[in-house]
Amino acid sequence: MKVLVGVKRVVDYAVKVRVRPDKKGVITDNVQHSMNPFDEIALEEAVKLKEAKKAKEIVAVSFGPAKAQETLRTALAKGADKAIHIEVDAKTAEKLEPFHVAKALAKIAKDDNYDAVFVGKQAIDDDANQTGQLIAGFLNWPQATFASKVEVDGKALKVTREIDGGLDTVKVNLPAVLSADLRLNEPRYATLPNIMKAKKKPLEKKTPKDLGIDLTSQTEVLEVSEPPARTGGEFVEDVNALLAKLREKGAIP
Amino acid sequence: MLASKVSVLRNFSAIGARFNSTLVIAEHDDAKLSGITLNAITAAQKLNQDISVLVAGASSAKVAEEVSKIANVKRVLVAQDDKLKAQLPERVSETVVAAQKQFNFTHILAGASSFGRGLIPRVAAQLDVSPISEITTVHSTDTFSRPTYAGNAIAKVKSSAAIKVFTVRGTAFEQAASSGGSAATEQSPIGDVKTDLSEFLGQELVKSDRPDLGSAKIIISGGRGLKSGDNFKLLYELADKLGAAVGASRAAVDAGFVANDLQIGQTGKIVAPELYIAVGISGAIQHIAGMKDSKIIVAINKDKEAPIFQIADYGLVADLFKAVPEITAALK
């Protein structure tokens, strides 16, 4: 099985983001970035399948500005065999929608005969939760979203999914798209020797034009604003004081 | 003269209204409509267009009847076929596309549940349009707001897509009245449904007598501070007294105290109850993303510096193992 893994460089999950004064976006300059946590999980699953001899080749792909290469090197250090960087300038990258990214990944997956595309269930910056489903829709491949357990079953994947009321299990025939949920696995750290080795692994560059992708925006961001702030609360002395306050507000009987 | 101009304009807008129409995809389990569909219908009403609701499933007749009574629904489209059992996205999306071909909707939407999130982007790809996730405000027929960065930035976006395809955050819209409507029911094409892509093998739903997290008026959530799954019974006892639902932070889920589907946060459920009681939860950005729109937030934590206190209306610095049983006892 040949697996394409989509990885995105995002503002690190521990950073408290701030909205830009011009309200055009959030401040991303000089802010810690890292690989989207869900993509780390998707990649880990692919690498584990390779270690279990169920997958032959793992290729990491990222669509973004020059710095996306750092994320791809991380992916290589964690076990990807090869990386593909679809490069755009920073300004274009800001306007990319999951729609464009999915088109590009779908094109690569189809042209190079991949058996599966693994992505994280959502990127923690745009919180869209779309790319995997879009890729599957463009390719007319089955999709196993929000995966928390994956088993290879011949020419299919048996996937346990996290759904609202609990779990369900689906079998998707390959080629298929999988999106990783938090509980799928515990991603490994890249070790120093592997980081060194990753520098020698192949990193191929492509442009949206090579892939024939039209980057026309369909979703224009008019304004980005801070959410309404909650008014400051108060500390209460003890349980009785708390219950009195809640009764006063009619929140409890 | 002026009067005739006005009437011409009126006619134009009437024609416009006829051409613009909205399709809501109903979420259900072949027996009952899921509550989030009612929230999605309210969002659809804000578009001021005719609303159709598609009920696709293996036996959708009963749910279709339920849907036909919802206020402001004009038409119920029923797609009933064994192939649509368990409503796999690969199959339902074909039905949606077939309905779109026949009826030409300008807007297609569903609730942002695991069902809607799985289905809607796939439909968008098949229609070659860029979808919009989890809107919280409808400004106009093409402009919406949605949270990004775990709810720390609200993006107002304008879509130029030929068909607006989006999901709706349930807690951001009231539920539409489930009675008072009298929609016409029509058959919908099921489309080119292929059965060789995927197969539904089964599900394991967590059974509970407590209210569902999405619709509960009171939620009591536990975090790492609970220390074990057994200790969650302190929260269950209090929840039962208040008719509340029980939720959890990621730390509590990862530690195996409770099942995953109870997780509240950026990557779990988004809730907005009247009263949210966070017990032994520090208040990481990712958790706050899932509950900060609650009306009243109470935090019980022994660490006075815990970030949860910055958003809590009432904070109690106390040992939860002492405070929670005290509250339960006081409510007796």
Side-chain angles (χ1 to χ4, degrees), chain A residues 5 7 35 37-51 58 75 78-80 118 180 184-190:
Chain A
V5 184
V7 293
M35 188 189 295
F38 290 99
D39 301 346
E40 286 193 299
I41 296 169
L43 175 66
E44 176 68 26
E45 198 62 21
V47 173
K48 277 167 76 177
L49 288 179
K50 192 183 169 188
E51 288 168 347
I58 312 296
K78 284 170 180 267
F118 286 13
L184 183 55
N185 59 47
E186 192 75 46
R188 72 193 65 191
Y189 289 98

PDB file of all heavy atoms in Angstrom, chain A residues 5 7 35 37-51 58 75 78-80 118 180 184-190:
ATOM      1  N   VAL A   5       0.256  11.256   2.860  1.00  0.00           N
ATOM      2  CA  VAL A   5      -0.197  11.860   4.120  1.00  0.00           C
ATOM      3  C   VAL A   5      -0.127  13.382   4.013  1.00  0.00           C
ATOM      4  O   VAL A   5       0.934  13.942   3.745  1.00  0.00           O
ATOM      5  CB  VAL A   5       0.676  11.393   5.312  1.00  0.00           C
ATOM      6  CG1 VAL A   5       0.123  11.965   6.618  1.00  0.00           C
ATOM      7  CG2 VAL A   5       0.742   9.874   5.391  1.00  0.00           C
ATOM      8  N   VAL A   7       0.076  16.990   5.518  1.00  0.00           N
ATOM      9  CA  VAL A   7       0.493  17.631   6.774  1.00  0.00           C
ATOM     10  C   VAL A   7       0.457  19.140   6.596  1.00  0.00           C
ATOM     11  O   VAL A   7       0.829  19.668   5.558  1.00  0.00           O
ATOM     12  CB  VAL A   7       1.909  17.172   7.230  1.00  0.00           C
ATOM     13  CG1 VAL A   7       1.901  15.710   7.613  1.00  0.00           C
ATOM     14  CG2 VAL A   7       2.964  17.436   6.170  1.00  0.00           C
ATOM     15  N   MET A  35       3.615  21.144  13.366  1.00  0.00           N
ATOM     16  CA  MET A  35       2.739  20.322  12.540  1.00  0.00           C
ATOM     17  C   MET A  35       1.384  20.204  13.238  1.00  0.00           C
ATOM     18  O   MET A  35       1.323  19.979  14.445  1.00  0.00           O
ATOM     19  CB  MET A  35       3.339  18.923  12.324  1.00  0.00           C
ATOM     20  CG  MET A  35       2.555  18.089  11.307  1.00  0.00           C
ATOM     21  SD  MET A  35       3.081  16.341  11.210  1.00  0.00           S
ATOM     22  CE  MET A  35       4.730  16.512  10.595  1.00  0.00           C
ATOM     23  N   PRO A  37      -1.540  18.902  15.053  1.00  0.00           N
ATOM     24  CA  PRO A  37      -1.523  17.683  15.867  1.00  0.00           C
ATOM     25  C   PRO A  37      -2.268  16.496  15.244  1.00  0.00           C
ATOM     26  O   PRO A  37      -1.824  15.350  15.374  1.00  0.00           O
ATOM     27  CB  PRO A  37      -2.228  18.117  17.159  1.00  0.00           C
ATOM     28  CG  PRO A  37      -2.126  19.595  17.210  1.00  0.00           C
ATOM     29  CD  PRO A  37      -2.010  20.084  15.803  1.00  0.00           C
ATOM     30  N   PHE A  38      -3.356  16.742  14.555  1.00  0.00           N
ATOM     31  CA  PHE A  38      -4.099  15.633  13.935  1.00  0.00           C
ATOM     32  C   PHE A  38      -3.321  15.027  12.766  1.00  0.00           C
ATOM     33  O   PHE A  38      -3.458  13.838  12.482  1.00  0.00           O
ATOM     34  CB  PHE A  38      -5.470  16.106  13.454  1.00  0.00           C
ATOM     35  CG  PHE A  38      -6.401  16.422  14.586  1.00  0.00           C
ATOM     36  CD1 PHE A  38      -6.593  17.720  15.000  1.00  0.00           C
ATOM     37  CD2 PHE A  38      -7.067  15.405  15.254  1.00  0.00           C
ATOM     38  CE1 PHE A  38      -7.442  18.004  16.054  1.00  0.00           C
ATOM     39  CE2 PHE A  38      -7.922  15.684  16.310  1.00  0.00           C
ATOM     40  CZ  PHE A  38      -8.105  16.989  16.709  1.00  0.00           C
ATOM     41  N   ASP A  39      -2.505  15.859  12.097  1.00  0.00           N
ATOM     42  CA  ASP A  39      -1.695  15.344  10.989  1.00  0.00           C
ATOM     43  C   ASP A  39      -0.568  14.468  11.523  1.00  0.00           C
ATOM     44  O   ASP A  39      -0.182  13.483  10.894  1.00  0.00           O
ATOM     45  CB  ASP A  39      -1.117  16.499  10.164  1.00  0.00           C
ATOM     46  CG  ASP A  39      -2.209  17.396   9.598  1.00  0.00           C
ATOM     47  OD1 ASP A  39      -3.382  16.979   9.623  1.00  0.00           O
ATOM     48  OD2 ASP A  39      -1.892  18.509   9.149  1.00  0.00           O
ATOM     49  N   GLU A  40      -0.050  14.840  12.708  1.00  0.00           N
ATOM     50  CA  GLU A  40       0.971  13.995  13.346  1.00  0.00           C
ATOM     51  C   GLU A  40       0.402  12.597  13.585  1.00  0.00           C
ATOM     52  O   GLU A  40       1.085  11.597  13.401  1.00  0.00           O
ATOM     53  CB  GLU A  40       1.371  14.581  14.705  1.00  0.00           C
ATOM     54  CG  GLU A  40       2.244  15.810  14.633  1.00  0.00           C
ATOM     55  CD  GLU A  40       2.834  16.128  16.004  1.00  0.00           C
ATOM     56  OE1 GLU A  40       2.028  16.373  16.922  1.00  0.00           O
ATOM     57  OE2 GLU A  40       4.063  16.117  16.148  1.00  0.00           O
ATOM     58  N   ILE A  41      -0.859  12.559  13.975  1.00  0.00           N
ATOM     59  CA  ILE A  41      -1.505  11.277  14.260  1.00  0.00           C
ATOM     60  C   ILE A  41      -1.733  10.491  12.969  1.00  0.00           C
ATOM     61  O   ILE A  41      -1.494   9.283  12.917  1.00  0.00           O
ATOM     62  CB  ILE A  41      -2.827  11.526  15.022  1.00  0.00           C
ATOM     63  CG1 ILE A  41      -2.532  12.172  16.387  1.00  0.00           C
ATOM     64  CG2 ILE A  41      -3.605  10.231  15.198  1.00  0.00           C
ATOM     65  CD1 ILE A  41      -3.747  12.713  17.114  1.00  0.00           C
ATOM     66  N   ALA A  42      -2.163  11.199  11.917  1.00  0.00           N
ATOM     67  CA  ALA A  42      -2.361  10.542  10.616  1.00  0.00           C
ATOM     68  C   ALA A  42      -1.045   9.955  10.113  1.00  0.00           C
ATOM     69  O   ALA A  42      -0.987   8.814   9.643  1.00  0.00           O
ATOM     70  CB  ALA A  42      -2.911  11.546   9.610  1.00  0.00           C
ATOM     71  N   LEU A  43       0.020  10.745  10.255  1.00  0.00           N
ATOM     72  CA  LEU A  43       1.344  10.293   9.814  1.00  0.00           C
ATOM     73  C   LEU A  43       1.801   9.091  10.637  1.00  0.00           C
ATOM     74  O   LEU A  43       2.309   8.108  10.090  1.00  0.00           O
ATOM     75  CB  LEU A  43       2.337  11.454   9.953  1.00  0.00           C
ATOM     76  CG  LEU A  43       3.795  11.136   9.652  1.00  0.00           C
ATOM     77  CD1 LEU A  43       3.981  10.783   8.179  1.00  0.00           C
ATOM     78  CD2 LEU A  43       4.697  12.305  10.023  1.00  0.00           C
ATOM     79  N   GLU A  44       1.628   9.177  11.939  1.00  0.00           N
ATOM     80  CA  GLU A  44       2.033   8.080  12.824  1.00  0.00           C
ATOM     81  C   GLU A  44       1.348   6.771  12.403  1.00  0.00           C
ATOM     82  O   GLU A  44       1.969   5.716  12.368  1.00  0.00           O
ATOM     83  CB  GLU A  44       1.682   8.426  14.277  1.00  0.00           C
ATOM     84  CG  GLU A  44       1.968   7.327  15.299  1.00  0.00           C
ATOM     85  CD  GLU A  44       3.459   7.061  15.480  1.00  0.00           C
ATOM     86  OE1 GLU A  44       4.267   7.963  15.232  1.00  0.00           O
ATOM     87  OE2 GLU A  44       3.799   5.912  15.876  1.00  0.00           O
ATOM     88  N   GLU A  45       0.066   6.873  12.076  1.00  0.00           N
ATOM     89  CA  GLU A  45      -0.667   5.661  11.696  1.00  0.00           C
ATOM     90  C   GLU A  45      -0.078   5.058  10.419  1.00  0.00           C
ATOM     91  O   GLU A  45       0.073   3.845  10.303  1.00  0.00           O
ATOM     92  CB  GLU A  45      -2.151   5.991  11.510  1.00  0.00           C
ATOM     93  CG  GLU A  45      -3.068   4.780  11.542  1.00  0.00           C
ATOM     94  CD  GLU A  45      -3.053   4.024  12.875  1.00  0.00           C
ATOM     95  OE1 GLU A  45      -2.655   4.627  13.894  1.00  0.00           O
ATOM     96  OE2 GLU A  45      -3.421   2.836  12.886  1.00  0.00           O
ATOM     97  N   ALA A  46       0.250   5.934   9.466  1.00  0.00           N
ATOM     98  CA  ALA A  46       0.845   5.453   8.216  1.00  0.00           C
ATOM     99  C   ALA A  46       2.191   4.791   8.487  1.00  0.00           C
ATOM    100  O   ALA A  46       2.491   3.716   7.959  1.00  0.00           O
ATOM    101  CB  ALA A  46       0.997   6.620   7.243  1.00  0.00           C
ATOM    102  N   VAL A  47       2.999   5.427   9.340  1.00  0.00           N
ATOM    103  CA  VAL A  47       4.325   4.874   9.634  1.00  0.00           C
ATOM    104  C   VAL A  47       4.186   3.528  10.360  1.00  0.00           C
ATOM    105  O   VAL A  47       4.923   2.582  10.092  1.00  0.00           O
ATOM    106  CB  VAL A  47       5.160   5.886  10.455  1.00  0.00           C
ATOM    107  CG1 VAL A  47       6.479   5.268  10.916  1.00  0.00           C
ATOM    108  CG2 VAL A  47       5.435   7.140   9.632  1.00  0.00           C
ATOM    109  N   LYS A  48       3.206   3.440  11.242  1.00  0.00           N
ATOM    110  CA  LYS A  48       2.980   2.163  11.936  1.00  0.00           C
ATOM    111  C   LYS A  48       2.573   1.064  10.951  1.00  0.00           C
ATOM    112  O   LYS A  48       2.985  -0.085  11.089  1.00  0.00           O
ATOM    113  CB  LYS A  48       1.899   2.333  13.011  1.00  0.00           C
ATOM    114  CG  LYS A  48       2.478   2.888  14.308  1.00  0.00           C
ATOM    115  CD  LYS A  48       1.419   3.350  15.258  1.00  0.00           C
ATOM    116  CE  LYS A  48       0.718   2.205  15.970  1.00  0.00           C
ATOM    117  NZ  LYS A  48      -0.267   2.750  16.940  1.00  0.00           N
ATOM    118  N   LEU A  49       1.777   1.433   9.962  1.00  0.00           N
ATOM    119  CA  LEU A  49       1.375   0.441   8.954  1.00  0.00           C
ATOM    120  C   LEU A  49       2.595  -0.022   8.154  1.00  0.00           C
ATOM    121  O   LEU A  49       2.706  -1.178   7.774  1.00  0.00           O
ATOM    122  CB  LEU A  49       0.327   1.017   7.998  1.00  0.00           C
ATOM    123  CG  LEU A  49      -1.075   1.221   8.579  1.00  0.00           C
ATOM    124  CD1 LEU A  49      -2.000   1.828   7.524  1.00  0.00           C
ATOM    125  CD2 LEU A  49      -1.666  -0.093   9.070  1.00  0.00           C
ATOM    126  N   LYS A  50       3.519   0.919   7.939  1.00  0.00           N
ATOM    127  CA  LYS A  50       4.734   0.542   7.217  1.00  0.00           C
ATOM    128  C   LYS A  50       5.576  -0.407   8.074  1.00  0.00           C
ATOM    129  O   LYS A  50       6.100  -1.410   7.584  1.00  0.00           O
ATOM    130  CB  LYS A  50       5.539   1.780   6.834  1.00  0.00           C
ATOM    131  CG  LYS A  50       6.626   1.429   5.849  1.00  0.00           C
ATOM    132  CD  LYS A  50       7.515   2.574   5.480  1.00  0.00           C
ATOM    133  CE  LYS A  50       8.703   2.003   4.702  1.00  0.00           C
ATOM    134  NZ  LYS A  50       9.715   3.010   4.465  1.00  0.00           N
ATOM    135  N   GLU A  51       5.694  -0.078   9.345  1.00  0.00           N
ATOM    136  CA  GLU A  51       6.478  -0.938  10.243  1.00  0.00           C
ATOM    137  C   GLU A  51       5.870  -2.331  10.357  1.00  0.00           C
ATOM    138  O   GLU A  51       6.567  -3.309  10.552  1.00  0.00           O
ATOM    139  CB  GLU A  51       6.587  -0.272  11.624  1.00  0.00           C
ATOM    140  CG  GLU A  51       7.515   0.939  11.598  1.00  0.00           C
ATOM    141  CD  GLU A  51       7.436   1.787  12.855  1.00  0.00           C
ATOM    142  OE1 GLU A  51       6.495   1.602  13.654  1.00  0.00           O
ATOM    143  OE2 GLU A  51       8.306   2.642  13.038  1.00  0.00           O
ATOM    144  N   ILE A  58       5.505   5.730   2.295  1.00  0.00           N
ATOM    145  CA  ILE A  58       4.759   6.834   2.899  1.00  0.00           C
ATOM    146  C   ILE A  58       5.292   8.146   2.334  1.00  0.00           C
ATOM    147  O   ILE A  58       6.477   8.446   2.474  1.00  0.00           O
ATOM    148  CB  ILE A  58       4.968   6.877   4.446  1.00  0.00           C
ATOM    149  CG1 ILE A  58       4.783   5.503   5.083  1.00  0.00           C
ATOM    150  CG2 ILE A  58       4.054   7.931   5.085  1.00  0.00           C
ATOM    151  CD1 ILE A  58       3.428   4.929   4.974  1.00  0.00           C
ATOM    152  N   ALA A  75       8.073  15.504   9.163  1.00  0.00           N
ATOM    153  CA  ALA A  75       7.386  14.285   8.720  1.00  0.00           C
ATOM    154  C   ALA A  75       8.395  13.230   8.273  1.00  0.00           C
ATOM    155  O   ALA A  75       8.249  12.039   8.577  1.00  0.00           O
ATOM    156  CB  ALA A  75       6.416  14.612   7.587  1.00  0.00           C
ATOM    157  N   LYS A  78      10.002  11.627  11.178  1.00  0.00           N
ATOM    158  CA  LYS A  78       9.111  10.718  11.892  1.00  0.00           C
ATOM    159  C   LYS A  78       8.833   9.441  11.098  1.00  0.00           C
ATOM    160  O   LYS A  78       8.092   8.580  11.570  1.00  0.00           O
ATOM    161  CB  LYS A  78       7.785  11.423  12.208  1.00  0.00           C
ATOM    162  CG  LYS A  78       7.872  12.422  13.371  1.00  0.00           C
ATOM    163  CD  LYS A  78       6.585  13.231  13.427  1.00  0.00           C
ATOM    164  CE  LYS A  78       6.579  14.236  14.552  1.00  0.00           C
ATOM    165  NZ  LYS A  78       5.961  13.707  15.765  1.00  0.00           N
ATOM    166  N   GLY A  79       9.359   9.365   9.885  1.00  0.00           N
ATOM    167  CA  GLY A  79       9.241   8.093   9.177  1.00  0.00           C
ATOM    168  C   GLY A  79       8.709   8.138   7.760  1.00  0.00           C
ATOM    169  O   GLY A  79       8.619   7.099   7.104  1.00  0.00           O
ATOM    170  N   ALA A  80       8.326   9.321   7.252  1.00  0.00           N
ATOM    171  CA  ALA A  80       7.910   9.387   5.848  1.00  0.00           C
ATOM    172  C   ALA A  80       9.129   9.120   4.971  1.00  0.00           C
ATOM    173  O   ALA A  80      10.254   9.456   5.345  1.00  0.00           O
ATOM    174  CB  ALA A  80       7.310  10.751   5.528  1.00  0.00           C
ATOM    175  N   PHE A 118      -4.100   9.759   3.914  1.00  0.00           N
ATOM    176  CA  PHE A 118      -4.371   9.962   5.341  1.00  0.00           C
ATOM    177  C   PHE A 118      -4.231  11.454   5.640  1.00  0.00           C
ATOM    178  O   PHE A 118      -3.257  12.081   5.233  1.00  0.00           O
ATOM    179  CB  PHE A 118      -3.352   9.210   6.215  1.00  0.00           C
ATOM    180  CG  PHE A 118      -3.530   7.708   6.280  1.00  0.00           C
ATOM    181  CD1 PHE A 118      -4.368   7.024   5.412  1.00  0.00           C
ATOM    182  CD2 PHE A 118      -2.827   6.972   7.237  1.00  0.00           C
ATOM    183  CE1 PHE A 118      -4.513   5.635   5.478  1.00  0.00           C
ATOM    184  CE2 PHE A 118      -2.963   5.584   7.320  1.00  0.00           C
ATOM    185  CZ  PHE A 118      -3.794   4.911   6.444  1.00  0.00           C
ATOM    186  N   ALA A 180      -7.777  11.202  10.721  1.00  0.00           N
ATOM    187  CA  ALA A 180      -7.393  10.709  12.041  1.00  0.00           C
ATOM    188  C   ALA A 180      -8.001  11.537  13.159  1.00  0.00           C
ATOM    189  O   ALA A 180      -7.975  12.765  13.119  1.00  0.00           O
ATOM    190  CB  ALA A 180      -5.867  10.736  12.161  1.00  0.00           C
ATOM    191  N   LEU A 184      -6.523   7.924  17.898  1.00  0.00           N
ATOM    192  CA  LEU A 184      -6.001   6.874  17.009  1.00  0.00           C
ATOM    193  C   LEU A 184      -4.668   6.313  17.490  1.00  0.00           C
ATOM    194  O   LEU A 184      -4.446   5.114  17.473  1.00  0.00           O
ATOM    195  CB  LEU A 184      -5.890   7.425  15.579  1.00  0.00           C
ATOM    196  CG  LEU A 184      -5.434   6.477  14.490  1.00  0.00           C
ATOM    197  CD1 LEU A 184      -6.308   5.236  14.422  1.00  0.00           C
ATOM    198  CD2 LEU A 184      -5.438   7.178  13.135  1.00  0.00           C
ATOM    199  N   ASN A 185      -3.785   7.180  17.928  1.00  0.00           N
ATOM    200  CA  ASN A 185      -2.475   6.714  18.395  1.00  0.00           C
ATOM    201  C   ASN A 185      -1.752   7.838  19.128  1.00  0.00           C
ATOM    202  O   ASN A 185      -2.255   8.954  19.216  1.00  0.00           O
ATOM    203  CB  ASN A 185      -1.620   6.221  17.210  1.00  0.00           C
ATOM    204  CG  ASN A 185      -1.415   7.323  16.175  1.00  0.00           C
ATOM    205  OD1 ASN A 185      -1.078   8.458  16.524  1.00  0.00           O
ATOM    206  ND2 ASN A 185      -1.631   7.020  14.914  1.00  0.00           N
ATOM    207  N   GLU A 186      -0.580   7.511  19.619  1.00  0.00           N
ATOM    208  CA  GLU A 186       0.272   8.482  20.310  1.00  0.00           C
ATOM    209  C   GLU A 186       1.470   8.743  19.385  1.00  0.00           C
ATOM    210  O   GLU A 186       2.316   7.869  19.232  1.00  0.00           O
ATOM    211  CB  GLU A 186       0.721   7.841  21.625  1.00  0.00           C
ATOM    212  CG  GLU A 186       1.364   8.768  22.618  1.00  0.00           C
ATOM    213  CD  GLU A 186       0.357   9.668  23.319  1.00  0.00           C
ATOM    214  OE1 GLU A 186      -0.700   9.166  23.760  1.00  0.00           O
ATOM    215  OE2 GLU A 186       0.648  10.869  23.405  1.00  0.00           O
ATOM    216  N   PRO A 187       1.525   9.899  18.727  1.00  0.00           N
ATOM    217  CA  PRO A 187       2.623  10.117  17.769  1.00  0.00           C
ATOM    218  C   PRO A 187       4.000  10.074  18.441  1.00  0.00           C
ATOM    219  O   PRO A 187       4.137  10.502  19.584  1.00  0.00           O
ATOM    220  CB  PRO A 187       2.350  11.513  17.211  1.00  0.00           C
ATOM    221  CG  PRO A 187       0.977  11.864  17.618  1.00  0.00           C
ATOM    222  CD  PRO A 187       0.633  11.050  18.813  1.00  0.00           C
ATOM    223  N   ARG A 188       4.968   9.569  17.716  1.00  0.00           N
ATOM    224  CA  ARG A 188       6.332   9.483  18.245  1.00  0.00           C
ATOM    225  C   ARG A 188       7.055  10.827  18.111  1.00  0.00           C
ATOM    226  O   ARG A 188       6.643  11.681  17.335  1.00  0.00           O
ATOM    227  CB  ARG A 188       7.113   8.412  17.479  1.00  0.00           C
ATOM    228  CG  ARG A 188       7.467   8.814  16.060  1.00  0.00           C
ATOM    229  CD  ARG A 188       7.941   7.638  15.236  1.00  0.00           C
ATOM    230  NE  ARG A 188       6.863   6.654  15.062  1.00  0.00           N
ATOM    231  CZ  ARG A 188       7.062   5.432  14.571  1.00  0.00           C
ATOM    232  NH1 ARG A 188       8.266   5.044  14.214  1.00  0.00           N
ATOM    233  NH2 ARG A 188       6.060   4.599  14.419  1.00  0.00           N
ATOM    234  N   TYR A 189       8.129  10.969  18.870  1.00  0.00           N
ATOM    235  CA  TYR A 189       8.993  12.128  18.705  1.00  0.00           C
ATOM    236  C   TYR A 189      10.047  11.792  17.658  1.00  0.00           C
ATOM    237  O   TYR A 189      10.440  10.644  17.531  1.00  0.00           O
ATOM    238  CB  TYR A 189       9.669  12.484  20.030  1.00  0.00           C
ATOM    239  CG  TYR A 189       8.712  13.054  21.030  1.00  0.00           C
ATOM    240  CD1 TYR A 189       8.157  12.258  22.033  1.00  0.00           C
ATOM    241  CD2 TYR A 189       8.324  14.395  20.950  1.00  0.00           C
ATOM    242  CE1 TYR A 189       7.244  12.777  22.943  1.00  0.00           C
ATOM    243  CE2 TYR A 189       7.415  14.922  21.853  1.00  0.00           C
ATOM    244  CZ  TYR A 189       6.883  14.112  22.844  1.00  0.00           C
ATOM    245  OH  TYR A 189       5.981  14.634  23.730  1.00  0.00           O
ATOM    246  N   ALA A 190      10.471  12.821  16.942  1.00  0.00           N
ATOM    247  CA  ALA A 190      11.564  12.607  15.999  1.00  0.00           C
ATOM    248  C   ALA A 190      12.863  12.624  16.792  1.00  0.00           C
ATOM    249  O   ALA A 190      13.117  13.555  17.556  1.00  0.00           O
ATOM    250  CB  ALA A 190      11.548  13.723  14.959  1.00  0.00           C
TER     251      ALA A 190
END
